[in-house]
Amino acid sequence: MIRITLATVLLASPAYAADNKEDSCKYQGQVMAAVQAARLDRVSKADVEQSILDSAPEWPEQYSKAIPQLAEHIYAMKRRDLKATEFGPLLEQQCLENWDQIQEMKRQLKSN
């Protein structure tokens, strides 16, 4: 399920290609972790984006564009399931492992 989110996030944000793989994946993991933390703190889905932005996150601004997509994924899960897994590090790891494949998908979409 997280692989679908990974592809959605990476493909939805062309600005990510400007960053190197390690930084991009780290920032994406931080965004995912922030969304998960907000969900666990019972922030409503309607308020999650503003709540995270109000916390002055340390990632570059363009990564905040992924908050709505990640919120869709995280808020669809049961809170008890969110307590069992840290999705930020998981997203970062999968991003690193699938970087080349995602970049190729982006190139193909751009050329169509």
Side-chain angles (χ1 to χ4, degrees):
M1 193 146 117
I2 194 155
R3 287 189 189 272
I4 294 169
T5 301
L6 172 66
T8 300
V9 172
L10 286 171
L11 292 172
S13 302
Y16 292 167
D19 293 324
N20 69 48
K21 174 170 67 171
E22 289 76 17
D23 286 344
S24 181
C25 293
K26 175 183 77 173
Y27 295 140
Q28 291 173 59
Q30 289 174 352
V31 175
M32 175 65 94
V35 172
Q36 182 176 5
R39 173 76 166 100
L40 290 172
D41 289 343
R42 299 184 186 275
V43 174
S44 74
K45 184 177 170 184
D47 295 334
V48 69
E49 184 172 15
Q50 194 59 52
S51 176
I52 292 170
L53 295 176
D54 288 348
S55 73
E58 295 185 15
W59 58 75
E61 184 179 338
Q62 71 266 24
Y63 288 86
S64 295
K65 294 176 185 174
I67 294 171
Q69 293 103 336
L70 294 175
E72 286 297 323
H73 176 72
I74 291 295
Y75 279 74
M77 299 177 72
K78 295 188 183 301
R79 287 182 73 249
R80 71 172 176 259
D81 296 335
L82 293 173
K83 292 177 183 178
T85 303
E86 292 185 32
F87 285 96
L90 182 60
L91 178 64
E92 182 176 354
Q93 176 188 352
Q94 288 186 356
C95 173
L96 290 167
E97 291 171 359
N98 295 291
W99 182 263
D100 293 334
Q101 180 183 1
I102 297 296
Q103 297 310 307
E104 181 57 30
M105 289 169 60
K106 289 171 80 171
R107 280 191 286 281
Q108 288 175 2
L109 287 173
K110 201 176 212 182
S111 67
N112 289 338

